[in-house]
Structure formats: C-alpha cells, structure tokens
Amino acid sequence: VQCWGRNDAGQLGDGSTTGRNVPNGVVGLSSVSSLTAGTRHTCAVLSNGTVRCWGANGFGQLGDQTLIQKRIPTAIATTNVVQQLTAGDVHTCALGTNGRAECWGSNSEGQLGDGTSLQRTLPAEVLGLVDGTNLSAGATSSCSVLTSRQILCWGDNTYGQLGDGTTNSRTSAVFTQTIEGRSSPTFSLPPSICSGQRVDFTTDSQNCGACEQRCAQNASCIASECRCNDGSICAWSCLSS
C-alpha cells in the first residue's frame, strides 16, 4: 500500500508527519484487501479479516483504546472477522462476515449506532444490525444495506440524510423509507411466515404486539422495527385467504 498528500497526523502511515507529493509506502502493511480513509486517519482490512488503522486519533477513531495518533498501522481488536471498513470524519465502522457491524470514534451525533452519544476508543456493536451486506459512512452518519435490500441508517440527520422521513438524529439504526414511502421492498418471505396466507406489505415500526401476530414465532422490536425471532423483518401482515 502507498499513500500521499497531507501527513500532519501520520495518516500516510510511513512513520513520519512529512507531507508527500508522490506515493510513499505504508510501513509494515501487507496482504491488504481494502482501505478506507477519514479526514485525517486511514484503516485497512487484511486478507485474514483483521484491521489496522493509523493517523489522527483525537476522538478514538483508530479504535486502539487510546487517543494518541499513530504514524504506522496499529492492530485493532474487532469482535468480528471483518469484510469491509468505512470511515467518516472522525469515526470508523467495520462490517463482519457475520453481517454484524462495529463502530468506534466520535459519537456526538449517534454515528456509532450503539444507542448512546458516548465517544468510543474501542469497537462498539451497532444495535439491531445483524444481516448487513455493505456499509457506508458520511461525515457524522452511517448506513448499511441489508440482505433484504432494505437500508438502515443512524447518526446525524440534520438534513434528512438518514432518509427516515424526519430530521431527528438517531443513536441507533432506523430504516430508510423507499420511494413508495415504506422500508420494505418486495422479497421472498421465509417459509415459516404467512404459510398459505395472503401477504400485505406494510410496516409496523412501533407496535410489537401486532408484529407478534404476524410472525410464526415471537417477535421483538429492534432499531425501531419489528423483527421475527427467526431473523426475518416483520414488515408485512398475514391475511386470511
């Protein structure tokens, strides 16, 4: 891996804080599968699913349990085997191969999705995200695409960037509305749901009691959305034929 440009916080990973106008090698980094860069920090996923970060760390965005900048890559202790990283301004998120995500760094707008606005210097689990396939971070917000093709977002929503129909910032994940005004695209239902019955694709994001009646198994509210305990999202009604 090679980096170039501003290097005042060691974000080029070459062991110095000297700016570079030509590519320069990152120290001790190999077998890299992907990279992400924040405003003044950089992170890499290695082929074995581990994470290295370097650069500015004033908000804990490197995730190494310190607030000290690092001029060379530093190992980060994620819970999951990581398949993807994304970085915001001063926060970082990692998507595991199990579909779960962790974030760390600044959390002033809830961009870590852990249900708080507390800064984290270690990876913290994103609440309610269990089946992510892709992550993307804005400056102070984050989003994930799910296996169902739905989208969960959390963090700063001053300009409606979470897409949930409000301008309320969120400390935990909420579903983004589709152009039809609901969060559920058409997709195949698990066989345990609505067997032999007609299906009405509607959402019930508040009433888990109603959701339990829609599921073949019990349900619980996660991220302001009802989910059946078999992992499917309760975003439909079972109707008598």
Side-chain angles (χ1 to χ4, degrees):
V1 174
Q2 296 177 304
C3 294
W4 56 97
R6 185 176 179 177
N7 197 28
D8 61 312
Q11 58 264 50
L12 302 188
D14 64 357
S16 78
T17 54
T18 302
R20 309 288 181 180
N21 58 16
V22 295
N24 201 45
V26 175
V27 174
L29 198 61
S30 61
S31 301
V32 173
S33 60
S34 65
L35 290 170
T36 189
T39 299
R40 296 167 65 228
H41 77 287
T42 314
C43 293
V45 182
L46 306 189
S47 59
N48 62 1
T50 60
V51 174
R52 303 290 186 272
C53 292
W54 59 96
N57 199 24
F59 296 88
Q61 60 263 49
L62 300 189
D64 68 344
Q65 205 173 1
T66 78
L67 297 174
I68 302 170
Q69 71 177 37
K70 301 296 189 297
R71 300 177 184 179
I72 60 174
T74 299
I76 310 306
T78 58
T79 302
N80 305 313
V81 176
V82 174
Q83 61 173 317
Q84 184 199 358
L85 288 170
T86 184
D89 184 6
V90 285
H91 79 286
T92 310
C93 294
L95 179 65
T97 56
N98 59 0
R100 297 178 180 273
E102 299 171 283
C103 296
W104 56 92
S106 175
N107 199 20
S108 58
E109 300 295 334
Q111 60 264 48
L112 304 188
D114 66 348
T116 78
S117 55
L118 299 175
Q119 176 178 293
R120 304 290 184 181
T121 60
L122 284 172
E125 182 180 6
V126 177
L127 300 180
L129 179 55
V130 296
D131 52 357
T133 63
N134 198 286
L135 278 178
S136 182
T140 53
S141 62
S142 311
C143 292
S144 177
V145 179
L146 309 184
T147 55
S148 63
R149 295 183 294 148
Q150 293 176 296
I151 299 171
L152 282 174
C153 292
W154 57 96
D156 185 17
N157 199 25
T158 303
Y159 300 99
Q161 54 264 57
L162 303 188
D164 66 345
T166 78
T167 54
N168 300 322
S169 295
R170 309 287 187 175
T171 60
S172 58
V174 294
F175 282 96
T176 297
Q177 294 183 4
T178 65
I179 56 174
E180 292 86 4
R182 61 185 188 232
S183 61
S184 300
T186 300
F187 57 94
S188 299
L189 297 178
S192 63
I193 305 298
C194 298
S195 178
Q197 295 177 293
R198 293 185 295 116
V199 178
D200 175 26
F201 279 91
T202 58
T203 60
D204 184 347
S205 61
Q206 303 299 325
N207 189 342
C208 271
C211 185
E212 288 176 359
Q213 297 174 12
R214 300 176 184 179
C215 299
Q217 304 175 33
N218 289 334
S220 57
C221 278
I222 301 176
S224 300
E225 184 79 6
C226 291
R227 285 178 180 262
C228 303
N229 285 356
D230 63 1
S232 59
I233 298 168
C234 183
W236 48 82
S237 296
C238 301
L239 304 176
S240 299
S241 299

